[in-house]
């Protein structure tokens, strides 16, 4: 198989993953994404909601590629007399995952402040407490400082993440916090970079959307702004190739077996066929997942924008979602980027009416 594009840019990915960027505080991640986009996009800009856009091509049609750049995180709500900080969840954490974790906050001076999430030890947990699942309110952050020192560095409203950096376990298996969905924001920009090397008529607008984890919010405003003729959202999806995940309920999704094409009412049937044909023509192995309702992704709100945008969802298989040890295989990301590029070329010259399903 011949391709002009062998591999996605790992350095850019690792830099993006290292930034602290929970929903509502995507600024540093976004700066890196935009700096990168300015190298090859015709136009790069940000809206008042914080979504950033990068464009290549003239259209028609306009193809929107959406990857949400926010990650789940922590938000300080209260600092007590002794300097212990209490927090609320930004996005969907399982509190069990948080016990004993180190954390990383952006301080007032822009420097990183580190701490730990504390919980009383097993020695003092009474019978019933040992049995029940830990709740968010049982936990606090200990920065190892007195109240005054803590308040010099952070205060109510400061955002943090678990203190983990990305790491390759093998040549292609990557573990990191925040792969959901910085890997999607990364993939749409890499797809735009590939498309920019040999653009067709399609105007491709890659969007790093904000605030997905707290209600698909940036996709709503950005889709309205662009009013695309056709759209593809890129997110991670639950891999089912590890213990305890029921394939009979979710389907058969493995790392390293290719990007995942969602099938269901959230997906425009004409666009779905374009994607499946493009995969076949390019020799790209894909996996399918059946979702019988609006997907819990940007694709949901994009499809419902204005009078309805023909939308698809392409996903990267991911293990251990919403933990600091999310795992993907970069082979799937390479294939996804090539697939999106092929679709962008295939829809060249198509009009919105061409996607009327029946
Ligand atoms: Zn996501």
């Amino acid at each position: 198989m011949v391709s002009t594009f062998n591999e996605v840019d790992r350095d850019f990915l690792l830099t993006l993953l290292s930034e602290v960027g929970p929903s509502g505080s995507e600024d540093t991640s976004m700066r890196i994404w935009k700096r990168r986009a300015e190298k090859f996009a015709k136009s790069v800009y940000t809206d008042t909601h914080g979504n950033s856009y990068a464009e290549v091509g003239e259209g028609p049609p306009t193809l929107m590629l959406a990857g949400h750049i926010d990650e789940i995180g922590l938000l300080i709500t209260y600092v007590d007399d002794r300097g212990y900080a209490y927090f609320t969840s930004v996005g969907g954490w399982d509190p069990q995952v948080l016990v004993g974790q180190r954390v990383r906050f952006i301080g007032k001076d822009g420097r990183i402040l580190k701490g730990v999430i504390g919980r009383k030890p097993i020695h003092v947990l009474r019978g019933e407490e040992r049995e029940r699942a830990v709740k968010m309110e049982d936990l606090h952050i200990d920065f190892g400082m007195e109240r005054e020192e803590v308040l010099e560095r952070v205060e109510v409203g400061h955002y943090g993440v678990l203190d983990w950096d990305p790491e390759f376990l093998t040549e292609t298996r990557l573990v990191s916090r925040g792969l959901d969905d910085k890997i999607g924001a990364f993939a749409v920009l890499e797809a735009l970079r590939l498309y920019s090397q040999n653009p067709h008529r399609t105007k491709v607008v890659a969007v790093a959307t904000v605030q997905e984890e707290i209600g698909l919010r940036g996709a709503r405003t950005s889709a309205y702004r662009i009013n695309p003729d056709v759209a593809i959202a890129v997110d991670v999806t639950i891999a089912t190739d590890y213990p305890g995940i029921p394939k009979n309920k979710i389907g058969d999704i493995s790392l390293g077996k290719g990007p995942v094409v969602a099938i269901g009412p959230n997906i425009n049937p004409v666009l779905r066929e374009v994607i499946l044909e493009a995969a076949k023509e390019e020799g790209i192995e894909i996996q399918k997942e059946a979702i019988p309702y609006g997907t819990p992704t940007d694709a949901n709100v994009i499809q419902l924008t204005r009078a309805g945008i023909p939308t698809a969802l392409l996903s990267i298989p991911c293990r251990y979602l919403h933990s600091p040890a999310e795992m993907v295989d970069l082979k799937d990301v390479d294939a996804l980027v090539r697939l999106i590029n092929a679709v962008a070329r295939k829809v060249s010259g198509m009009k919105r009416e061409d996607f009327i399903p029946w």
Side-chain angles (χ1 to χ4, degrees):
M1 185 170 49
V2 186
S3 169
T4 54
F5 191 83
N6 294 321
E7 252 200 358
V8 293
D9 185 325
R10 295 179 175 215
D11 290 342
F12 166 48
L13 175 59
L14 294 180
T15 309
L16 193 60
L17 288 168
S18 299
E19 291 300 326
V20 176
S23 320
S25 64
E26 298 91 343
D27 49 329
T28 53
S29 315
M30 203 64 97
R31 265 200 293 280
I32 285 165
W33 191 92
K34 283 173 74 179
R35 201 182 308 143
R36 170 80 178 175
E38 278 156 6
K39 294 199 169 126
F40 53 84
K42 191 181 69 171
S43 136
V44 178
Y45 54 96
T46 302
D47 66 22
T48 53
H49 195 181
N51 301 298
S52 292
Y53 306 73
E55 301 179 357
V56 170
E58 301 299 327
T62 296
L63 166 64
M64 174 185 187
L65 304 175
H68 73 87
I69 201 166
D70 59 310
E71 61 180 311
I72 58 174
L74 312 169
L75 179 63
I76 295 177
T77 52
Y78 169 60
V79 180
D80 76 9
D81 294 347
R82 293 179 293 176
Y84 296 118
Y86 294 81
F87 60 94
T88 191
S89 171
V90 179
W93 281 113
D94 171 359
Q96 320 311 308
V97 169
L98 299 177
V99 176
Q101 292 283 350
R102 297 174 192 224
V103 293
R104 180 190 299 178
F105 279 73
I106 303 273
K108 292 179 183 176
D109 55 3
R111 283 189 299 135
I112 296 287
L113 182 63
K114 294 200 179 188
V116 296
I117 298 181
R119 189 199 185 199
K120 56 187 174 182
I122 190 161
H123 317 70
V124 293
L125 289 179
R126 281 186 294 271
E128 177 267 336
E129 275 182 321
R130 287 193 189 192
E131 299 306 318
R132 79 172 168 83
V134 67
K135 297 205 177 73
M136 208 63 91
E137 60 259 31
D138 301 327
L139 305 172
H140 61 268
I141 296 168
D142 185 343
F143 289 109
M145 298 174 182
E146 300 297 325
R147 175 181 161 84
E148 285 68 31
E149 288 177 276
V150 170
L151 291 178
E152 272 172 31
R153 301 288 307 279
V154 292
E155 64 184 340
V156 169
H158 272 235
Y159 287 94
V161 295
L162 300 190
D163 185 27
W164 284 62
D165 277 321
E167 187 170 357
F168 279 96
L169 296 185
T170 71
E171 180 58 25
T172 58
R173 291 279 164 99
L174 175 64
V175 173
S176 180
R177 56 158 245 272
L179 281 168
D180 179 9
D181 185 34
K182 287 179 179 174
I183 193 77
F186 166 81
V188 297
L189 196 57
E190 285 291 270
L192 188 75
R193 179 166 73 92
L194 177 56
Y195 181 71
S196 74
Q197 291 170 5
N198 187 9
H200 267 216
R201 196 162 158 199
T202 308
K203 175 180 178 178
V204 180
V205 186
V207 188
T209 62
V210 295
Q211 303 182 14
E212 191 270 356
E213 295 289 355
I214 54 170
L216 319 177
R217 303 181 78 232
R220 189 183 295 257
T221 48
S222 56
Y224 189 91
R225 178 186 179 120
I226 305 172
N227 190 15
D229 300 300
V230 57
I232 297 173
V234 175
D235 211 323
V236 290
T237 193
I238 300 171
T240 61
D241 60 349
Y242 63 95
I245 307 286
K247 285 190 195 218
N248 57 345
K249 273 179 80 178
I250 306 181
D252 188 5
I253 306 290
S254 300
L255 261 60
K257 294 199 173 158
V260 181
V261 180
I263 316 277
N266 197 170
I267 313 307
N268 177 274
V270 179
L271 180 56
R272 179 193 67 212
E273 291 309 308
V274 170
I275 290 169
L276 295 176
E277 271 171 37
K280 203 177 262 175
E281 287 162 12
E282 298 289 315
I284 296 170
E285 189 184 11
I286 54 133
Q287 309 181 76
K288 290 181 185 172
E289 63 179 345
I291 307 177
Y293 40 73
T295 64
T297 71
D298 281 348
N300 192 1
V301 295
I302 294 170
Q303 185 188 33
L304 300 179
T305 297
R306 297 178 185 252
I309 307 287
T311 303
L313 171 64
L314 296 178
S315 302
I316 298 154
C318 185
R319 292 182 190 160
Y320 320 119
L321 266 177
H322 286 202
S323 86
E326 293 178 337
M327 188 191 295
V328 299
D329 193 315
L330 282 200
K331 290 200 294 270
D332 297 327
V333 186
D334 287 333
L336 171 74
V337 166
R338 287 191 287 115
L339 177 59
I340 293 174
N341 179 56
V343 172
R345 300 166 77 81
K346 237 174 136 54
V347 298
S348 184
M350 286 178 79
K351 294 185 291 295
R352 193 176 304 203
E353 299 75 59
D354 296 329
F355 292 93
I356 294 172
W358 45 68

